[in-house]
Amino acid sequence: MAVSEEECSTTKSQSSPSSTSVVAPSKNVHYLAKCVLKGSVVLHVAYGHLRSPSSNDVVFGKETSIELLIICEDGIAQSVCEQAVFGTIKDLAVTPWNKKFYPRNQQMMEKDLLIVISDSGKLSFLTFCNEMHRFFPVAHVELSNPGNSRQQLGRMLAVDSSGCFIAVSAYEDRLGIFSLSTSLGSDIIDEKICYPPESESDPSTSRSIQSTIINGTIWSMCFISKDLTQQCKEHYPVLAIILNRRGALLNELLLLGWNIRDGTICVISQFFEAGPLAHNIVEVPHSYGFAFLFRIGDALLMDLRDPQNPCCVYRTSLNFLPPAVEEQHFVEESYKVHDVEDEGLFNVAESLLELGDDPMCIDGDVADAKIPSKHVCSWSWEPENDNSPKMVFCVDTGEFFMIEVAFDSDGLKVLLSECLYKGQPCKELLWVEGGFLAALVEMGDGMVLKVENGRLIHMSPIQNIAPILDMSVVDYHDEKRDQMFACCGVAPEGSLRIIRSGISVEKLLRTASIYQGITGTWTLRMKVTDPYHSFLVLSFVEETRVLSVGLSFSDVTDSVGFRPDVCTLACGLVNDGLLIQIHQNAVRLCLPTQVAHSEGIPQSCPVCTSWFPDYVSISLGAVADNLIIVSTSNPCFLYILGVRSLSEYHYEIYEMQHLTLQNELSCISIPQKRLAERKSSSQIGLVDNGTVASLPVGVDIGYTFVIGTHRPSVEILSFVAEEGLRVLASGTISLTSTMETAISGCIPQDVRLVLVERLYVLAGLRNGMLLRFEWPPASKMSLPELLSHGPISSSLINASTVTLNSFGPQISSVNLSEKTKDALPINLQLIATRRIGITPVFLVPLSDSFDADIIALSDRPWLLQTARHSLAYTSISFQPSTHATPVCSAECPKGILFVSENSLNLVEMVHSKRLNVQKFHLGGTPRKVLYHSESRLLVVMRTELTGDTCTSDISCVNPLSGTVVSSYKLQPGETGKSMELLRVGKEQCVVVGTSLSPGPAIMPSGEAESTKGRLLVFHIDCLQNLDSGLMTICSKAGLSCQQTSPFREIIGYATEQMSSSSLCSSPDDASCDGVKLEETEAWYLRLVYSMPWPGMALAICPYLGRYFLASAGNAFYVCGFPNDNFLRVKKFAVGRTRFMITSLTAHSTRIAVGDCRDGILFYSYHEQSKKLEQIYCDPSQRLVADCILMDVDTAVVSDRKGSIAVLSCSDREEDNASPESNLTVSCAYHMGEIAMSIRKGSFIYKLPADDVLGGCPSPNTNADPFQNTIIASTLLGSIIIFIPLSREEYDLLEAVQAKLVVHPLTAPILGNNHNEFRSRENPVATPKILDGDMLSQFLELTSKQQEAILSLPLSFLDTKSSSKLSPSSPIPVNQVVQLLERVHYALN
């Protein structure tokens, strides 16, 4: 198709009449930044006894935070605590406890210390405080000025195995050695020496011969230990370093000695051998003089016992290692170097993660050569092995090996294993007690391995979502609880992550994985009024076990009386001391003995009796107080049973009524309490216990229960002893998709009756959907008015009854419809429907009350808040589970037992929030993700695909299952760069920008290279019928349909459709379309138009609803679809910048352009003259990573140096502006991490139940504080939200922050100046964004500590603080706590 183009110059022109006038700029912009998901990239690991002398603690250094965790017996890494450091970690290590230490603080006795070096320029000694549950500094030792200078100390750490000496190096030319004092107090350093001496730092000073010892880059270093029987100060420490001298091709090994008496550092010896490049030196523990020298292609075992004569005693080639017998979890590692076209993205990521010399360089040369030789990339020694040290190491191909150094009478022996495991190359390895190995991958999930029988066994993953390259925030308007779809990881570990708010759980107990084939779990009380459960019933395929609930779960099956050789279908307490077991052949009543429970019968064996149906098998059952209901299939009967006493300890089960069913039942649920005896005990406390809910007619008498049928339908029935059974209400389940096709699998799997203000029914379906039915408003009418409702067909077509006092088959047939013709069943109204997964939904109430919250089990567990309107639920931070049951005991009153991975897990939900992250493995590197609302699919752009000539594609992914529904493969050599959803008329299309040019996109100067690309337009079509026409379409070139990708776990995401009559939704809401729900319909991606593009299109965005903007190098175009026609793209205008454009965004008439040097530029487009006009420019040079416009005058921009800033226009009219007008920096914040994607939304770190907090007293707030929330995701895997505050709130919290940053309890633990760190890379005197991580520490303190901080005198505060509060104004503790709780949705 021909494309017309009307270009214009970017010179200033007068505003055209068609230009829309802009509103006044935003004033007094105040934000608070809160990291809701800390980075997951582990750069450093350490192991020691930090919490106590007996604890085995693992420390992960994550650049901007420290995490303490343990490896549990089941091989799962469990986090103990994680805290921000308000700085950048460069290295960390553990100083082991030494018997010669005598700490002044007895809480430090026999505990190891954590040593950290950071950009503060200090050497920080940290100890873990168990009372505060976090690390605190013991001492800070000044090393250098803050920053990242190459010649300043603070790059690398080495610790002597005895804990007496510490070495710190710079990137090059300098190092220092420190000896620890025995007091371990503020004067923790006894002596120190630096090379070169500080007096020689002046180049004009004459230097001795020793000043030429170190002249180059220090690659690695370690101490060479001596026998511990020697006194700590009676020998000089020996330090081995790998040095790359300037201009040298190979590295050399230097042995340095510190003569403590003379105060000098000297070279003891040098070792240099022509051959491969040496890169690491690693001491062999407990060997007193041996070390491994790792080189590219081989490893040398060095004998350094005589430091003056180093020699190699063993050599092994890494290129001829024993092959793997069996590859496990292996994914082929790709050595393809990442391109730098995409704004140099991966150069930034790799440099940042590896802490390279110039971490912000995006234009450095990248070698394309594949390294032919293997090299060791990570290693770890077995802990506490004094006799024969063993090391597990990983080479760059992902192969794991074990090497053992044995010392015996025959001399030294080195034993090398065959390949133990093959996976991804690991950046860090850590061997801990129990044979577990933490293996950390740089840009993918890590794992916990276990050394077992000479192999490494995969135990569990360690989540790493970094880098987050893009995200899409999906807003559900009714709840304002967004969930995020994020592109994470790089090839071959690229994945799609679903991030949502959730509830934390505390794991109390986990059994071994020995419970295969569990079919059901129940907890039973011995008496109706008992506060605690007495028994836990586990049903298996052909077995039943009963365990006592208490400190230990012991088997009491024989003493309870349940049949152990059958599968239990249901069980319960029918009366005090009377337990019911329902299995396929009978209903069994049991009286447990005193062996099983103290209230049991005083006999040696339990008393049991049974009821058997006639020639049919029981399929379902339910038990409640004095009522038993069972149903059969083929033929379909429903039996109502009762229990009566014959004599002491002797009871019988008798039939009160049975009915023939028209439709087979799928589930039965009887409330444990009768509605007439209801008591409110809401789990979340949002319902007034004094509120009396109005009950529909007929519900408040007799026994009311609910059933689900294969019709499918849900029906509410009532049983009255004298009148029999009658149907009160019925709701037919008939759901259709958006294409008017019936949704399959709508049979109820589980149902529950809930009473909170009104009576309603919850139904979990077998297809993963959740429904809510309510009585229609007409049900509140009088009985005569009810008769006007038309009848519905019931599942019950005839009935037989038995008189209560009779025993035997004295049956009189009664037709139910005749008996109840004066009270016709009510049609239940379907209020809300949701899909929470793709597997059947089970409903587990947390207590017996009618308003108890409910756990919904599908692909993953959810907590349903029954007191909320519609369907409100929150993700539970626990793995997918097949069964769950509440466990209430004196030791654990709010326990929940989950069955997961064939093990029993006793947990307790805690009132704290977290973000839950679920993974779908996609392969390749996912670069962009969009949510297509019409198809409910995700559109994902992937690059670096393997196994085909195509390396990039556009895919439609089902967010429920991770299935690739449809994909379009780009041309060979073509790479996707940008993607955006646009609305053309009434339809949506996907516009994709690509690159057809290899090589870099940006010159070293920041200007754009000459490149070519394409602009592609796609449409997502829905097929109503899977006929031959589909196969014809799918066979088109470049299109493949219904491809499935492997994924670790199938996790559903939450979507809701509200009926038009829902009390919680508006008819105008876009999500309201009756009760039609999405089914897994046939959608496919169709290319409708393509055109050549004059450069790489790194950015695309919609504009004014009828145009879109697309970049090409340093130019950007205003484009559109004439007459809303997909088949033609027209260029209307072009604008140019000086440097490569990296981002485009628009709001109303305003256009914000970000480039790689000049920062953010504001443009306006004049439609009549078809010209672009530059209005404002950035006051600072800025390498833009991403940008969004909050309104026409306010932009939020992130840069490649880890900062985020809010820029706004001045107050004057746009007509008087000029291209030289600068934007104003309203506020700024240094994150220390690069935010590659920022979005605007209401992604709130909260629980739905926390809405009640909104009514707490707080400073004056004029608007919704979450209306303009900003969400940022970073290369290190962090998610940071920026919450707008009022001026009063800002001033109050700023005053609190000024006190927190200097108080010893809350000051940065690495010695950073907080104000300097958060102001880094930003202009002087720029207003600051408040630090939510610093402020949140206030909520962790006791009341006395809070008061002490707020009463801190002014002399302690930072004089640069700009708080507007009066110095004499007292700060009320309650007001601060309430405000922080409201902002952070956390508890004090």
Side-chain angles (χ1 to χ4, degrees):
M1 301 290 294
V3 180
S4 63
E5 176 176 344
E6 300 179 19
E7 298 187 354
C8 70
S9 66
T10 58
T11 58
K12 177 170 174 58
S13 61
Q14 297 298 323
S15 299
S16 63
S18 63
S19 298
T20 306
S21 61
V22 296
V23 297
S26 301
K27 296 182 179 181
N28 299 327
V29 180
H30 303 291
Y31 282 97
L32 180 145
K34 181 74 172 80
C35 182
V36 296
L37 187 66
K38 290 183 171 61
S40 55
V41 176
V42 180
L43 301 178
H44 314 283
V45 294
Y47 177 67
H49 310 294
L50 298 171
R51 291 176 298 156
S52 69
S54 60
S55 64
N56 299 312
D57 303 313
V58 178
V59 176
F60 285 170
K62 298 183 176 181
E63 186 151 330
T64 57
S65 66
I66 293 178
E67 182 178 14
L68 179 71
L69 62 156
I70 59 174
I71 308 295
C72 303
E73 295 180 356
D74 54 6
I76 295 178
Q78 180 176 341
S79 180
V80 176
C81 76
E82 186 171 8
Q83 65 186 102
V85 299
F86 309 104
T88 301
I89 298 172
K90 294 183 179 180
D91 200 3
L92 59 79
V94 167
T95 297
W97 171 261
N98 191 301
K99 295 181 179 179
K100 299 181 177 64
F101 294 154
Y102 297 97
R104 298 171 184 173
N105 185 349
Q106 292 302 310
Q107 293 184 352
M108 296 170 54
M109 183 66 69
E110 299 186 10
K111 291 165 57 176
D112 299 340
L113 290 179
L114 182 66
I115 309 175
V116 184
I117 50 178
S118 66
D119 59 348
S120 67
K122 297 181 176 65
L123 177 65
S124 302
F125 294 83
L126 308 179
T127 184
F128 189 82
C129 177
N130 290 294
E131 290 76 13
M132 297 294 292
H133 204 62
R134 53 172 295 183
F135 285 100
F136 279 97
V138 175
H140 298 295
V141 178
E142 197 79 31
L143 297 176
S144 60
N145 296 325
N148 296 285
S149 173
R150 296 172 185 266
Q151 283 78 31
Q152 289 187 342
L153 294 180
R155 164 66 183 93
M156 189 185 306
L157 269 176
V159 179
D160 179 40
S161 61
S162 65
C164 295
F165 299 100
I166 299 170
V168 181
S169 74
Y171 280 90
E172 56 188 25
D173 298 345
R174 290 182 62 85
L175 61 81
I177 305 178
F178 306 82
S179 65
L180 297 185
S181 67
T182 57
S183 65
L184 297 184
S186 58
D187 54 347
I188 194 169
I189 296 300
D190 188 13
E191 297 186 45
K192 69 176 181 178
I193 187 170
C194 297
Y195 175 82
E198 296 177 0
S199 60
E200 298 182 3
S201 59
D202 186 354
S204 63
T205 305
S206 60
R207 297 188 179 183
S208 64
I209 298 177
Q210 292 297 331
S211 297
T212 61
I213 295 175
I214 304 175
N215 184 16
T217 304
I218 301 172
W219 283 40
S220 176
M221 63 181 183
C222 73
F223 281 98
I224 304 302
S225 302
K226 294 188 177 182
D227 197 335
L228 295 179
T229 57
Q230 302 183 37
Q231 294 297 320
C232 189
K233 289 189 179 181
E234 290 182 356
H235 73 280
Y236 58 84
V238 176
L239 183 69
I241 68 170
I242 302 293
L243 180 68
N244 178 258
R245 296 191 184 275
R246 288 184 177 86
L249 297 177
L250 297 178
N251 296 342
E252 59 183 89
L253 172 65
L254 289 183
L255 296 181
L256 307 180
W258 177 17
N259 190 322
I260 299 178
R261 292 182 180 179
D262 298 340
T264 59
I265 293 178
C266 62
V267 175
I268 301 176
S269 62
Q270 296 175 255
F271 178 84
F272 177 84
E273 181 181 272
L277 180 69
H279 58 88
N280 270 298
I281 181 74
V282 183
E283 183 192 16
V284 178
H286 313 294
S287 65
Y288 309 123
F290 289 91
F292 274 104
L293 180 65
F294 291 136
R295 307 193 301 179
I296 303 297
D298 65 10
L300 309 182
L301 179 60
M302 304 297 297
D303 184 353
L304 306 177
R305 289 176 294 181
D306 181 3
Q308 296 181 352
N309 298 295
C311 62
C312 174
V313 296
Y314 180 82
R315 185 189 311 266
T316 180
S317 173
L318 301 178
N319 296 323
F320 300 99
L321 291 171
V325 176
E326 179 183 358
E327 296 184 2
Q328 305 175 25
H329 304 279
F330 172 65
V331 180
E332 183 181 353
E333 171 70 356
S334 172
Y335 291 101
K336 182 181 183 300
V337 176
H338 303 292
D339 299 333
V340 295
E341 306 105 307
D342 195 1
E343 308 114 65
L345 169 63
F346 281 97
N347 277 350
V348 175
E350 290 172 357
S351 298
L352 181 65
L353 296 178
E354 295 174 7
L355 293 177
D357 291 348
D358 187 5
M360 295 318 303
C361 174
I362 67 166
D363 301 312
D365 294 333
V366 180
D368 290 329
K370 182 177 179 180
I371 300 176
S373 299
K374 299 178 182 178
H375 69 274
V376 175
C377 56
S378 56
W379 62 89
S380 184
W381 293 97
E382 182 182 15
E384 310 298 337
N385 187 343
D386 300 342
N387 299 323
S388 55
K390 297 178 181 178
M391 172 201 287
V392 170
F393 64 90
C394 176
V395 295
D396 58 335
T397 57
E399 297 169 291
F400 289 73
F401 298 88
M402 182 185 294
I403 193 167
E404 179 179 356
V405 181
F407 303 93
D408 54 24
S409 58
D410 297 333
L412 180 95
K413 292 183 179 179
V414 179
L415 307 176
L416 181 65
S417 73
E418 64 179 14
C419 181
L420 305 178
Y421 187 88
K422 196 166 185 180
Q424 291 298 309
C426 294
K427 180 177 178 61
E428 295 286 349
L429 283 180
L430 189 65
W431 198 339
V432 302
E433 286 291 334
F436 296 109
L437 200 72
L440 288 312
V441 179
E442 189 171 63
M443 293 191 185
D445 284 342
M447 54 195 165
V448 176
L449 306 174
K450 186 174 185 180
V451 181
E452 192 172 278
N453 300 324
R455 309 292 296 171
L456 284 176
I457 309 300
H458 184 279
M459 300 298 294
S460 66
I462 299 176
Q463 179 177 271
N464 177 14
I465 68 174
I468 302 178
L469 304 181
D470 190 34
M471 64 176 176
S472 179
V473 180
V474 180
D475 181 19
Y476 294 99
H477 306 284
D478 287 334
E479 295 186 3
K480 295 183 180 179
R481 288 191 299 132
D482 298 344
Q483 56 187 357
M484 181 187 299
F485 300 102
C487 294
C488 301
V490 299
E493 288 296 306
S495 62
L496 183 70
R497 310 278 176 142
I498 303 176
I499 305 171
R500 56 172 70 89
S501 60
I503 301 174
S504 296
V505 299
E506 180 182 356
K507 299 179 182 179
L508 305 177
L509 173 68
R510 178 184 171 91
T511 68
S513 300
I514 57 175
Y515 294 91
Q516 291 87 359
I518 287 184
T519 60
T521 59
W522 303 268
T523 45
L524 307 178
R525 290 178 169 83
M526 189 64 178
K527 291 185 177 181
V528 175
T529 57
D530 283 353
Y532 303 123
H533 291 121
S534 301
F535 306 108
L536 170 64
V537 181
L538 303 177
S539 174
F540 300 85
V541 177
E542 295 180 349
E543 185 183 9
T544 294
R545 310 305 299 171
V546 182
L547 309 179
S548 63
V549 175
L551 290 175
S552 61
F553 289 81
S554 56
D555 194 323
V556 292
T557 307
D558 295 336
S559 301
V560 169
F562 278 20
R563 279 194 59 178
D565 58 343
V566 295
C567 172
T568 298
L569 301 176
C571 60
L573 178 68
V574 72
N575 210 326
D576 288 349
L578 305 181
L579 304 184
I580 296 294
Q581 178 192 22
I582 302 174
H583 56 88
Q584 186 177 9
N585 299 320
V587 177
R588 185 178 178 90
L589 184 146
C590 306
L591 279 73
T593 66
Q594 291 180 348
V595 176
H597 193 277
S598 59
E599 299 293 331
I601 61 175
Q603 296 187 12
S604 58
C605 296
V607 176
C608 303
T609 184
S610 298
W611 174 88
F612 302 91
D614 296 330
Y615 310 108
V616 290
S617 297
I618 297 173
S619 58
L620 293 172
V623 182
D625 185 22
N626 295 313
L627 185 68
I628 306 168
I629 301 176
V630 295
S631 70
T632 65
S633 58
N634 195 24
C636 300
F637 293 115
L638 181 70
Y639 294 88
I640 310 297
L641 308 177
V643 175
R644 58 190 173 191
S645 174
L646 300 179
S647 62
E648 186 180 16
Y649 305 147
H650 289 83
Y651 295 82
E652 73 166 352
I653 303 173
Y654 67 98
E655 179 182 312
M656 293 189 289
Q657 184 176 6
H658 81 259
L659 308 95
T660 302
L661 303 176
Q662 183 179 2
N663 298 289
E664 181 182 354
L665 300 192
S666 61
C667 51
I668 306 173
S669 174
I670 314 177
Q672 294 303 305
K673 296 180 180 180
R674 298 176 61 178
L675 287 169
E677 303 169 355
R678 64 189 185 276
K679 294 181 180 180
S680 179
S681 58
S682 174
Q683 297 293 317
I684 53 180
L686 295 181
V687 181
D688 183 2
N689 290 344
T691 302
V692 179
S694 59
L695 293 176
V697 176
V699 174
D700 55 347
I701 57 175
Y703 293 93
T704 301
F705 61 97
V706 58
I707 61 174
T709 76
H710 283 256
R711 182 182 171 189
S713 66
V714 295
E715 302 188 8
I716 300 177
L717 292 83
S718 176
F719 176 77
V720 180
E722 294 78 10
E723 301 178 7
L725 195 68
R726 59 176 179 158
V727 180
L728 301 179
S730 176
T732 303
I733 303 175
S734 178
L735 304 176
T736 58
S737 68
T738 55
M739 299 306 299
E740 302 297 336
T741 58
I743 295 178
S744 61
C746 290
I747 298 173
Q749 177 66 44
D750 207 350
V751 288
R752 284 293 181 272
L753 204 58
V754 181
L755 178 62
V756 182
E757 296 182 354
R758 70 188 67 188
L759 192 69
Y760 66 89
V761 178
L762 289 176
L765 307 187
R766 294 183 179 179
N767 60 6
M769 295 173 65
L770 186 66
L771 312 183
R772 172 169 170 159
F773 289 90
E774 291 183 4
W775 253 262
S779 62
K780 297 181 180 180
M781 301 177 185
S782 61
L783 185 59
E785 292 174 312
L786 286 173
L787 298 180
S788 62
H789 287 273
I792 65 171
S793 94
S794 171
S795 294
L796 315 174
I797 58 172
N798 60 70
S800 299
T801 60
V802 176
T803 58
L804 290 177
N805 296 325
S806 66
F807 179 74
Q810 301 175 7
I811 300 176
S812 58
S813 297
V814 179
N815 186 287
L816 183 63
S817 60
E818 293 178 358
K819 188 176 183 66
T820 60
K821 62 183 179 180
D822 293 333
L824 298 175
I826 299 300
N827 286 304
L828 292 175
Q829 184 176 10
L830 181 57
I831 296 298
T833 59
R834 293 196 185 184
R835 180 180 292 279
I836 64 172
I838 60 175
T839 58
V841 178
F842 294 87
L843 304 175
V844 183
L846 293 181
S847 71
D848 294 339
S849 63
F850 283 95
D851 56 2
D853 288 343
I854 293 175
I855 293 177
L857 294 179
S858 182
D859 301 334
R860 60 168 296 106
W862 305 85
L863 178 66
L864 297 176
Q865 283 86 32
T866 57
R868 287 170 60 89
H869 295 290
S870 181
L871 290 171
Y873 57 89
T874 305
S875 170
I876 299 176
S877 301
F878 197 75
Q879 62 258 38
S881 305
T882 57
H883 300 84
T885 185
V887 178
C888 180
S889 64
E891 299 79 15
C892 181
K894 295 182 180 180
I896 303 171
L897 188 79
F898 287 105
V899 180
S900 177
E901 298 177 350
N902 298 324
S903 65
L904 305 181
N905 302 265
L906 182 62
V907 305
E908 193 172 67
M909 285 189 294
V910 295
H911 200 150
S912 64
K913 278 69 65 179
R914 57 167 293 173
L915 294 186
N916 291 336
V917 182
Q918 299 301 327
K919 173 184 178 182
F920 294 120
H921 184 271
L922 292 181
T925 300
R927 300 280 185 147
K928 298 289 182 182
V929 61
L930 303 169
Y931 180 72
H932 188 257
S933 58
E934 294 177 1
S935 63
R936 302 292 179 95
L937 297 176
L938 299 173
V939 185
V940 181
M941 173 192 290
R942 298 184 294 178
T943 62
E944 298 179 284
L945 298 173
T946 58
D948 203 338
T949 57
C950 164
T951 61
S952 185
D953 73 354
I954 312 298
S955 301
C956 292
V957 179
N958 186 335
L960 286 174
S961 62
T963 303
V964 178
V965 176
S966 175
S967 69
Y968 180 89
K969 296 181 180 180
L970 301 183
Q971 297 176 0
E974 186 176 23
T975 305
K977 292 296 179 182
S978 57
M979 181 173 65
E980 190 57 69
L981 273 172
L982 305 177
R983 183 162 292 279
V984 181
K986 297 182 178 180
E987 299 190 42
Q988 282 185 317
C989 69
V990 181
V991 177
V992 176
T994 72
S995 168
L996 294 170
S997 302
I1002 308 174
M1003 296 181 183
S1005 63
E1007 297 175 302
E1009 291 278 5
S1010 177
T1011 58
K1012 294 186 179 298
R1014 281 202 305 165
L1015 204 65
L1016 309 177
V1017 181
F1018 294 90
H1019 189 263
I1020 301 178
D1021 295 327
C1022 180
L1023 298 179
Q1024 299 187 22
N1025 299 298
L1026 294 176
D1027 54 12
S1028 58
L1030 171 63
M1031 302 307 295
T1032 303
I1033 294 175
C1034 290
S1035 64
K1036 291 183 178 180
L1039 185 64
S1040 60
C1041 288
Q1042 300 297 337
Q1043 299 176 349
T1044 59
S1045 62
F1047 51 93
R1048 184 158 299 169
E1049 54 188 2
I1050 302 177
I1051 300 299
Y1053 86 113
T1055 60
E1056 177 183 12
Q1057 296 294 327
M1058 306 291 294
S1059 64
S1060 57
S1061 58
S1062 171
L1063 300 178
C1064 315
S1065 61
S1066 166
D1068 300 326
D1069 195 319
S1071 65
C1072 300
D1073 56 353
V1075 295
K1076 298 176 183 178
L1077 287 183
E1078 84 286 355
E1079 180 75 322
T1080 308
E1081 298 163 329
W1083 297 87
Y1084 71 98
L1085 194 66
R1086 178 167 57 93
L1087 178 66
V1088 296
Y1089 179 73
S1090 68
M1091 64 177 293
W1093 200 244
M1096 291 185 186
L1098 296 185
I1100 299 174
C1101 80
Y1103 181 55
L1104 292 177
R1106 53 190 178 274
Y1107 303 107
F1108 68 91
L1109 309 174
S1111 70
N1114 67 331
F1116 68 98
Y1117 296 85
V1118 179
C1119 305
F1121 298 94
N1123 301 320
D1124 293 339
N1125 185 2
F1126 285 117
L1127 303 181
R1128 186 168 181 240
V1129 173
K1130 180 179 180 180
K1131 298 178 185 176
F1132 294 100
V1134 61
R1136 300 188 187 278
T1137 63
R1138 294 194 302 165
F1139 301 105
M1140 185 73 176
I1141 294 175
T1142 59
S1143 74
L1144 287 171
T1145 185
H1147 186 281
S1148 184
T1149 60
R1150 177 73 75 239
I1151 299 171
V1153 180
D1155 68 19
C1156 65
R1157 287 294 184 270
D1158 284 341
I1160 293 298
L1161 308 172
F1162 275 13
Y1163 285 81
S1164 285
Y1165 174 59
H1166 305 283
E1167 290 189 89
Q1168 289 188 350
S1169 60
K1170 294 185 172 57
K1171 293 181 182 296
L1172 284 163
E1173 175 189 6
Q1174 180 181 328
I1175 303 299
Y1176 290 96
C1177 59
D1178 200 317
S1180 305
Q1181 285 194 341
R1182 199 185 309 271
L1183 201 168
V1184 176
D1186 199 11
C1187 177
I1188 58 170
L1189 283 171
M1190 305 302 294
D1191 52 47
V1192 294
D1193 298 312
T1194 307
V1196 180
V1197 57
S1198 64
D1199 61 40
R1200 295 298 185 91
K1201 292 188 177 182
S1203 293
I1204 196 164
V1206 179
L1207 306 178
S1208 59
C1209 300
S1210 61
D1211 240 345
R1212 53 204 178 92
E1213 291 294 329
E1214 188 172 305
D1215 289 344
N1216 299 325
S1218 68
E1220 291 75 27
S1221 299
N1222 281 344
L1223 294 167
T1224 302
V1225 182
S1226 300
C1227 53
Y1229 185 80
H1230 182 71
M1231 300 175 290
E1233 304 180 32
I1234 300 174
M1236 291 303 301
S1237 181
I1238 52 179
R1239 298 287 183 268
K1240 181 170 64 174
S1242 57
F1243 192 78
I1244 302 173
Y1245 190 56
K1246 56 170 275 186
L1247 289 176
D1250 293 332
D1251 291 339
V1252 71
L1253 296 178
C1256 67
S1258 62
N1260 183 28
T1261 303
N1262 297 323
D1264 181 3
F1266 301 102
Q1267 185 177 3
N1268 292 318
T1269 299
I1270 302 166
I1271 311 164
S1273 60
T1274 74
L1275 287 181
L1276 292 182
S1278 297
I1279 296 177
I1280 303 171
I1281 63 172
F1282 295 82
I1283 304 170
L1285 300 175
S1286 67
R1287 183 53 187 259
E1288 294 81 4
E1289 293 170 334
Y1290 180 87
D1291 289 342
L1292 174 65
L1293 295 182
E1294 185 186 28
V1296 176
Q1297 178 175 295
K1299 297 174 182 290
L1300 290 172
V1301 298
V1302 297
H1303 195 279
L1305 288 176
T1306 52
I1309 62 172
L1310 302 185
N1312 289 82
N1313 182 304
H1314 182 269
N1315 184 66
E1316 183 276 331
F1317 177 72
R1318 292 305 186 195
S1319 304
R1320 196 172 297 171
E1321 306 296 340
N1322 292 307
V1324 179
T1326 300
K1328 305 300 183 296
I1329 293 175
L1330 294 180
D1331 189 342
D1333 292 324
M1334 175 61 70
L1335 289 166
S1336 64
Q1337 295 181 103
F1338 189 81
L1339 297 175
E1340 301 170 3
L1341 305 174
T1342 64
S1343 298
K1344 290 185 178 180
Q1345 292 170 337
Q1346 290 174 343
E1347 293 174 357
I1349 289 178
L1350 295 184
S1351 61
L1352 203 65
L1354 288 176
S1355 57
F1356 288 90
L1357 303 185
D1358 186 354
T1359 57
K1360 297 180 181 180
S1361 175
S1362 59
S1363 175
K1364 300 300 185 296
L1365 288 183
S1366 171
S1368 60
S1369 301
I1371 303 177
V1373 175
N1374 291 339
Q1375 188 177 8
V1376 175
V1377 170
Q1378 288 178 351
L1379 177 57
L1380 289 176
E1381 285 181 348
R1382 185 177 64 84
V1383 172
H1384 297 292
Y1385 290 93
L1387 292 178
N1388 186 2

